[in-house]
Amino acid sequence: TANHVPADPDFPGQAEIWVQELNITGFQLIGPRHYLTRGACGGVWVEGPHMYKAHGRYYLLTAEGGTGYHHAVMIAVSDKVTGPFTNNPRNPILTM
């Protein structure tokens, strides 16, 4: 997983989280890139994706809101590693 600025942002500072298969032998990305989310609570500076698998589901943990007062942690869940991901209705799960 990683983040980038999308080609068609809805506003300045919007980022997007994506996932792509990694060829572990050649350490190169292969196959299609899958776009997962532009954030849960406004999507400003969504970054730092971490993905976990537990009980057959995939959990996407991201940071959002920059490094100041509005910095927060979000979580989303999916049945597939490529999504779609559903945001936790209690997001953000951690704030500054």
Side-chain angles (χ1 to χ4, degrees):
T1 57
N3 69 306
H4 71 143
V5 175
D8 60 341
D10 296 320
F11 52 85
Q14 186 177 40
E16 184 171 59
I17 303 297
W18 56 270
V19 67
Q20 189 171 354
E21 184 178 354
L22 176 66
N23 175 332
I24 204 72
T25 304
F27 207 67
Q28 293 183 349
L29 295 174
I30 58 173
R33 184 174 285 188
H34 301 273
Y35 301 99
L36 306 179
T37 184
R38 289 190 177 187
C41 294
V44 180
W45 304 299
V46 62
E47 62 183 358
H50 289 75
M51 194 177 299
Y52 305 94
K53 185 177 182 183
H55 309 289
R57 301 193 82 192
Y58 295 90
Y59 295 86
L60 180 63
L61 185 77
T62 60
E64 202 170 307
T67 58
Y69 177 77
H70 297 289
H71 181 78
V73 176
M74 316 302 172
I75 191 89
V77 65
S78 177
D79 292 325
K80 298 188 316 182
V81 70
T82 57
F85 280 83
T86 302
N87 290 317
N88 182 334
R90 293 186 172 181
N91 277 333
I93 59 170
L94 181 66
T95 61
M96 292 285 287

